[in-house]
Amino acid sequence: MSDPNQKSRTQFNKLQKKLRHTVGDAIADYNMIENGDKVMVCLSGGKDSFTLLDILMHLQKTAPVEFELIAVNLDQKQPGFPEHVLPEYLESVGVPYHIIEKDTYSVVKRVIPEGNTTCGLCSRLRRGTLYGYAEANNVTKIALGHHRDDILETFFLNIFYGGKLKAMPPKLLSDDKKNIIIRPLAYTREKDIERLAAFKNYPIIPCNLCGSQENLQRQAMKIMLNGWDKQFPGRLETIFTSLQNVAPSQLADTQLFDFAGLMRNPQAEEQVMTFIARDGVYAASQSGTGAANAGLDVLAQ
């Protein structure tokens, strides 16, 4: 009879290796962390930021570049916030950390009418505070815990409700040009993060202390994507790959591509045309109408 503990350990090791691999790939593909960087990991107390910190601490020991890590949490003075949880955890894992205390909770409650979603203003205030800390403490990269599902949800939110074709980039220069934001979990699935968090038993602090309901539009996107994932395995992978394969000339943004300036080139001396024949791919390199005629001949076979 197999040992269930051994089986669980094997599953954990495979999952941890997978997540380390996806994070390493994202960091390499977008040059997120360079030698000498000081990386600030924004720790909210949720599963995503715990996972991010965990994996970056491992990479700090194994990566070919040297970089500093500091975990930073913003205590927004929400009623019931367990102030002891994060310091105790961070001390136990031995990572430098800092807790910023700033009462943004009162600001949000004063500005947002009762019953309305407070997440938007709350996140803007949090972001501004964290950016300010990063500038004052020579932080070169700000690491956020957004994962691939977050990126896809944002992509469809912008399409359905914002009229824009954009998402969360894996690497971003802030509007004021003073901070570089990185998302090392950009290739990582949320369901894998959930499994790792269960294995590691992180001291999760729920993001419901303020009593604000999660944005209903984002929740709708999550339900839609989860449904697709179950009904059409691989669809989410394909959608994310499309974000990495953008063809501006095949869209309709006149600011992104010069459609008005498109001109024919009648002086072109040679064209290379590829046609699919019954026995494979036929390539013809001919001049002028000869190439077109050759193509028609092949297609007519």
Side-chain angles (χ1 to χ4, degrees):
M1 183 179 293
S2 61
D3 182 356
N5 291 330
Q6 180 60 39
K7 183 178 179 181
S8 179
R9 171 56 58 178
T10 300
Q11 291 174 340
F12 167 72
N13 288 338
K14 288 177 64 176
L15 177 62
Q16 186 167 244
K17 183 178 181 180
K18 177 183 179 181
L19 266 63
R20 289 173 176 174
H21 182 72
T22 59
V23 170
D25 283 349
I27 290 174
D29 287 351
Y30 295 93
N31 193 30
M32 292 186 185
I33 299 178
E34 301 169 88
N35 198 51
D37 268 340
K38 183 176 182 179
V39 181
M40 182 177 91
V41 180
C42 298
L43 196 69
S44 65
K47 66 183 187 315
D48 306 329
S49 57
F50 274 122
T51 299
L52 175 61
L53 177 63
D54 194 343
I55 296 176
L56 289 183
M57 288 178 66
H58 171 76
L59 290 179
Q60 189 181 34
K61 300 173 184 176
T62 61
V65 298
E66 294 185 3
F67 61 94
E68 292 182 56
L69 277 179
I70 180 171
V72 175
N73 169 257
L74 173 59
D75 179 356
Q76 300 175 268
K77 298 304 175 184
Q78 297 166 323
F81 182 77
E83 298 178 359
H84 65 285
V85 170
L86 290 179
E88 289 179 359
Y89 174 79
L90 295 170
E91 288 172 8
S92 72
V93 298
V95 65
Y97 71 92
H98 181 75
I99 307 296
I100 304 172
E101 297 188 17
K102 188 167 185 177
D103 187 2
T104 61
Y105 173 81
S106 296
V107 176
V108 170
K109 285 299 183 182
R110 185 174 67 251
V111 173
I112 302 297
E114 187 68 29
N116 288 13
T117 300
T118 61
C119 301
L121 177 59
C122 181
S123 63
R124 288 194 295 273
L125 293 173
R126 182 170 61 247
R127 184 165 57 245
T129 302
L130 293 170
Y131 283 6
Y133 178 87
E135 292 174 41
N137 289 273
N138 301 313
V139 168
T140 56
K141 303 286 174 59
I142 300 174
L144 303 180
H146 298 123
H147 45 69
R148 199 182 75 180
D149 296 63
D150 288 323
I151 293 173
L152 291 178
E153 289 165 16
T154 302
F155 176 60
F156 283 104
L157 276 172
N158 280 310
I159 292 176
F160 294 159
Y161 301 103
K164 295 180 180 179
L165 200 63
K166 70 174 188 176
M168 291 177 172
K171 187 177 181 181
L172 173 72
L173 180 63
S174 62
D175 292 339
D176 61 9
K177 314 300 181 188
K178 295 180 179 179
N179 294 287
I180 293 180
I181 293 85
I182 59 175
R183 295 182 170 99
L185 297 177
Y187 291 173
T188 306
R189 291 293 309 268
E190 183 175 22
K191 62 184 180 183
D192 290 332
I193 293 173
E194 290 173 345
R195 289 177 60 209
L196 184 73
F199 274 122
K200 301 281 283 190
N201 197 27
Y202 295 130
I204 305 296
I205 300 174
C207 186
N208 60 6
L209 297 171
C210 60
S212 177
Q213 188 177 20
E214 183 180 0
N215 185 287
L216 293 178
Q217 293 175 345
R218 179 170 290 277
Q219 184 64 22
M221 296 302 98
K222 185 182 292 290
I223 293 171
M224 179 187 75
L225 293 174
N226 286 340
W228 284 352
D229 193 34
K230 293 177 181 177
Q231 189 175 0
F232 308 104
R235 172 173 286 189
L236 300 191
E237 285 76 6
T238 302
I239 296 172
F240 187 83
T241 299
S242 73
L243 298 180
Q244 299 174 297
N245 292 279
V246 179
S249 65
Q250 307 303 303
L251 298 174
D253 190 335
T254 58
Q255 301 300 312
L256 196 63
F257 186 81
D258 184 16
F259 292 99
L262 284 177
M263 297 181 63
R264 293 176 58 250
N265 184 2
Q267 304 304 318
E269 294 183 356
E270 186 176 42
Q271 296 179 344
V272 177
M273 303 183 67
T274 302
F275 303 99
I276 300 177
R278 287 192 302 267
D279 55 349
V281 176
Y282 171 79
S285 177
Q286 302 183 44
S287 300
T289 58
N293 290 335
L296 292 174
D297 289 344
V298 172
L299 293 175
Q301 293 179 8

